[in-house]
């Protein structure tokens, strides 16, 4: 009996081995392959050359601030650089940057005069060929400049509009005075009629 059980177990084991060898045993489906995560895009922001860590002059810090939209801070840094930087070329570039930005922001004659004074100071100290000034600080000012003919036309248009409004105002005042005179005449006439009535009675 024991031999029969052992024999049956041995035969069953052999059959299982044969099925495995032939591939008849059900296989587990392979786990779905997970695609690798896409590589993260590298930052493509391009910093201004003036913002490089190796360039620490006040002028360069001012350019970096200007490029970031911090114009007031940039002007402060350039003011210090124009007075204290040991390099004359850097002092000149700082003056030019300040003058260009002031000119672009000028809204009054006084502000325009202040910008032109800075340009005069810059011009007096500039060596032949310049000091490597950055022309972009003048671009905003140049875009806002208008030819003299355009300014004359605008002035003539304003003068015509002012004359027209003044004439309209004068006409309004004239009509108002005429109405008041007529009203006074009516009152005077009524008073005269009452006086006549009193005398006749």
């Amino acid at each position: 009996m024991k031999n029969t059980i052992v024999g049956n177990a041995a035969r069953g084991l052999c059959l299982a081995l044969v099925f495995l060898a032939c591939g008849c045993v059900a296989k587990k489906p392979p786990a779905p392959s997970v695609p690798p995560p896409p590589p993260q895009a590298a930052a493509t922001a391009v910093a201004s050359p003036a913002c490089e860590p190796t360039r620490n002059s006040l002028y360069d810090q001012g350019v970096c601030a200007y490029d970031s939209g911090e114009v007031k801070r940039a002007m402060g840094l350039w003011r210090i650089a124009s007075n204290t930087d040991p390099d004359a070329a850097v002092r000149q570039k700082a003056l030019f940057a300040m003058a260009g930005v002031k000119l672009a922001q000028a809204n009054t004659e006084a502000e325009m005069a202040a910008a032109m004074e800075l340009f005069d100071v810059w011009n007096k100290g500039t060596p032949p060929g310049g000091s490597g000034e950055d022309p972009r600080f003048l671009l905003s000012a140049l875009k806002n400049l208008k030819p003299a003919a355009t300014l004359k036309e605008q002035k003539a248009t304003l003068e015509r509009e002012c004359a027209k409004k003044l004439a309209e105002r004068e006409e309004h005042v004239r009509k108002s005075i005429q109405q008041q005179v007529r009203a006074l005449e009516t009152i005077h006439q009524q008073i005269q009629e009452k006086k006549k009535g009193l005398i006749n009675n």
Side-chain angles (χ1 to χ4, degrees), residues 138-188:
L138 276 180
L139 291 179
S140 296
L142 293 174
K143 287 177 181 175
N144 293 330
L145 287 180
K146 294 179 180 176
T150 303
L151 293 175
K152 285 181 182 177
E153 186 180 333
Q154 287 180 342
K155 183 180 177 183
T157 302
L158 287 173
E159 287 175 350
R160 285 194 299 270
E161 288 177 358
C162 286
K164 182 181 176 183
K165 287 182 180 178
L166 183 60
E168 289 173 354
R169 181 68 180 164
E170 287 176 351
E171 180 65 17
H172 176 74
V173 170
R174 188 182 65 78
K175 287 181 178 178
S176 176
I177 291 173
Q178 285 178 344
Q179 287 176 352
Q180 290 175 4
V181 168
R182 282 196 294 269
L184 287 172
E185 287 174 347
T186 302
I187 292 171
H188 179 70

Side-chain angles (χ1 to χ4, degrees), residues 13-168:
L13 185 58
C14 286
L15 281 172
L17 288 173
V18 170
F19 287 141
L20 279 174
C22 294
C24 295
V25 177
K27 295 180 181 177
K28 289 184 178 178
S33 60
V34 178
Q40 291 184 348
T44 56
V46 179
S48 168
C51 299
E52 292 175 3
T54 54
R55 302 177 68 172
N56 292 323
S57 75
L58 289 173
Y59 171 77
D60 288 325
Q61 291 177 33
V63 174
C64 187
Y66 178 83
D67 289 342
S68 301
E70 301 174 77
V71 178
K72 189 174 180 181
R73 181 168 174 265
M75 292 290 280
L77 291 166
W78 288 331
R79 188 173 295 109
I80 298 169
S82 69
N83 292 316
T84 63
D85 198 287
D87 188 345
V90 172
R91 292 196 301 272
Q92 286 301 107
K93 289 195 293 185
L95 277 171
F96 182 83
M98 289 170 59
V101 172
K102 271 190 173 289
L103 183 63
Q105 294 179 335
N107 291 317
T108 64
E109 289 185 13
E111 291 172 348
M112 179 73 77
M116 295 313 296
E117 282 179 19
L118 273 176
F119 272 118
D120 286 340
V121 174
W122 164 78
N123 186 42
K124 288 173 184 174
T126 299
S131 305
E133 287 81 358
D134 192 336
R136 67 184 158 147
F137 298 122
L138 276 180
L139 291 179
S140 296
L142 293 174
K143 287 177 181 175
N144 293 330
L145 287 180
K146 294 179 180 176
T150 303
L151 293 175
K152 285 181 182 177
E153 186 180 333
Q154 287 180 342
K155 183 180 177 183
T157 302
L158 287 173
E159 287 175 350
R160 285 194 299 270
E161 288 177 358
C162 286
K164 182 181 176 183
K165 287 182 180 178
L166 183 60
E168 289 173 354

